[in-house]
Amino acid sequence: MKICLLSWEFPPRIVGGIARHVLGLAKALARERHNVCVVTLDFPGLPDYEEVEGIAVYRTKTEVGHPNFLTWSFLFNHFLEKQLAEANKKFDFDIIHIHDWLVAPSGIGFKHFLDKPLVCTMHSTEHGRTGLHNPDSYMIDGMEWWACYEAMRIIVTSNSMKGEVCGHFQVSSDKVDVIPNAIEAMKYEVQTDRWGVKRRFGVGDHEKLVLYVGRLVPQKGVEYLIRAVPRISRRLPEAKFVIVGEGWMRQHLEWLADQTGQRWRVRFTGFISDEELVALTKSADVMVVPSVYEPFGIVALEAMAAGVPIVASRVGGLAEVIEHDKTGVYIYPRSLDSVAWGVERVLSDPGYRDWIVKNALEAVKNRFSWQTVARQTIDVYKRVLGKG
Amino acid sequence: MSGYPPVSPPPELPEEFRFLCMLHNVGATRAERGLTVEEIAKWTNKELSELQEYLVKLQKLGYIQSFNKEGFDRYYVSVTGIRKVLTLYS
């Protein structure tokens, strides 16, 4: 099958989970001997075209810009459309698969111009991310509805997202397939100098590393972890906190960390490389995912594969990934007491910790492989093409 | 102080971050597309003094880079800055 994946982010242009999802899916589809092409936006220092592990990657320059985000997004869609047309001359795609609303205009245009079937993965919704609060967010909401309407089939990564998409956009549940995210568990099967890594991030040999990985934006709930620092450290004086990621809230969160009176316990790293992230994750004593909105929560899977116990809010897709008291520990979103309780639960009982880690590793290997995701996605494509 | 940080109202998007997004969206994301302060002022409709303040701050944080070409300083969003901007939109 000749497949075009259209996404505004693709490594190393990594924003959230979409880049990792598209890379994992593309590689797995290529391993299944399909012709896979990714059309995405450019990134400084990278060529306009390259082949990455059997995937043809086109990186598109947006030659004309505009300060307004939505205007810019329509402009880059124009250039993506042009790039799609060029790529199609070479590949003659069977299917086009868009990821989120940002690339919907070019994907939909392509569908109509060339009469190609369109599949859309909805990774999240504006309604869930920020709520509908200004004209821009209403427009994004409209674009998401439009993408769902135009797509022949919609893929979501959790039942929670299926409910959100069907409920909010009035989409028939028959049109929506749930295919979970996955990870490359192999990535975590590397030797790590745990103590050396901890020391590099300011965590001593006798101290416990509490890790957060994600964007620094309200929906991730990281402020609840930072505000819980005094409660956690009262129970676990050896706790240190490493906050990995970037986002517009960083300044506010650093201020919040100052307000705890225990700023010395909290380290913000900003964006770090994939290799460093693997090493850091493997070196953590616990990972906290305090999200208030989470369509899937791929970071939870990464911790599970790395052999790190996970403490996560019971929201959205996280509630489907983790089994409480078996593969992780659930906490209430927005509750400082609950965050502190969860971290203590895991760190104060080594036997319990080991049991959680062992179960989580098995669950990840059995349920969340990219090969499974690729095969399920191919089944969706076959249905769309009338071959299923 | 009780040791518990106060519940704070949701923060507003910082102005310098809005500015960084604008610079990103107009396409100043590599040296060859770098813009002078005057050009940035035209694109963003902001006063030069305000712009200078943002540029100094963002450069200090590593989100913007600059170079001098033919006597004019030109500014563009760094890779770290691009990643920072993208966190808003995903």
Side-chain angles (χ1 to χ4, degrees), chain A residues 75-92:
Chain A
L75 284 165
F76 77 60
N77 266 278
H78 163 72
F79 289 96
L80 282 174
E81 204 162 39
K82 188 176 152 193
Q83 187 75 79
L84 273 171
E86 280 304 308
N88 188 61
K89 282 181 198 162
K90 183 174 167 190
F91 285 86
D92 187 21

Side-chain angles (χ1 to χ4, degrees), chain A residues 183-192 277-279 281-282 301-303 305-307:
Chain A
I183 52 156
E184 284 184 72
M186 290 274 287
K187 204 165 77 172
Y188 296 92
E189 291 172 8
V190 289
Q191 291 296 315
T192 302
L277 185 57
V278 168
T281 305
K282 279 176 70 83
L301 287 189
E302 288 172 335

Side-chain angles (χ1 to χ4, degrees), chain A residues 12 15 42 215 230 247 259, chain B residues 1 3 7 30 83-84 86-87:
Chain A
V15 185
D42 69 335
R215 287 181 299 131
Q259 301 302 302
Chain B
M1 178 159 172
V7 175
R30 56 185 75 219
R83 289 200 167 107
K84 176 95 174 174
L86 299 183
T87 62

Side-chain angles (χ1 to χ4, degrees), chain A residues 258-271:
Chain A
D258 289 342
Q259 301 302 302
T260 64
Q262 307 203 16
R263 180 66 173 85
W264 57 276
R265 287 185 187 274
V266 188
R267 183 163 183 158
F268 290 82
T269 69
F271 182 86

Side-chain angles (χ1 to χ4, degrees), chain B residues 37-88:
Chain B
V37 177
E38 287 74 19
E39 286 167 338
I40 295 171
K42 283 179 193 161
W43 269 114
T44 60
N45 206 20
K46 288 189 184 298
E47 296 293 329
L48 287 180
S49 57
E50 192 185 358
L51 283 185
Q52 295 283 14
E53 191 188 316
Y54 294 152
L55 289 170
V56 168
K57 189 170 180 182
L58 292 168
Q59 206 165 0
K60 210 167 147 188
L61 292 167
Y63 299 136
I64 279 183
Q65 289 180 302
S66 69
F67 64 100
N68 192 284
K69 189 180 172 190
E70 293 159 3
F72 293 99
D73 284 334
R74 291 186 170 269
Y75 298 87
Y76 63 98
V77 183
S78 67
V79 167
T80 311
I82 293 173
R83 289 200 167 107
K84 176 95 174 174
V85 169
L86 299 183
T87 62
L88 179 65

Side-chain angles (χ1 to χ4, degrees), chain A residues 98-170:
Chain A
I98 60 173
H99 292 264
D100 268 9
W101 71 272
L102 281 142
V103 293
S106 45
I108 292 167
F110 191 73
K111 166 193 159 180
H112 287 286
F113 279 126
L114 294 166
D115 197 22
K116 303 279 183 182
L118 180 73
V119 170
C120 172
T121 294
M122 291 293 292
H123 292 270
S124 63
T125 67
E126 180 73 359
H127 180 256
R129 283 189 301 269
T130 60
L132 306 182
H133 59 284
N134 64 22
D136 285 4
S137 68
Y138 277 103
M139 190 194 134
I140 292 169
D141 183 60
M143 297 280 288
E144 287 173 342
W145 168 82
W146 185 34
C148 288
Y149 174 77
E150 290 279 359
M152 280 183 81
R153 293 207 68 78
I154 300 161
I155 296 173
V156 292
T157 55
S158 65
N159 285 302
S160 156
M161 264 305 286
K162 181 170 180 172
E164 199 177 317
V165 165
C166 293
H168 185 65
F169 298 122
Q170 302 292 303

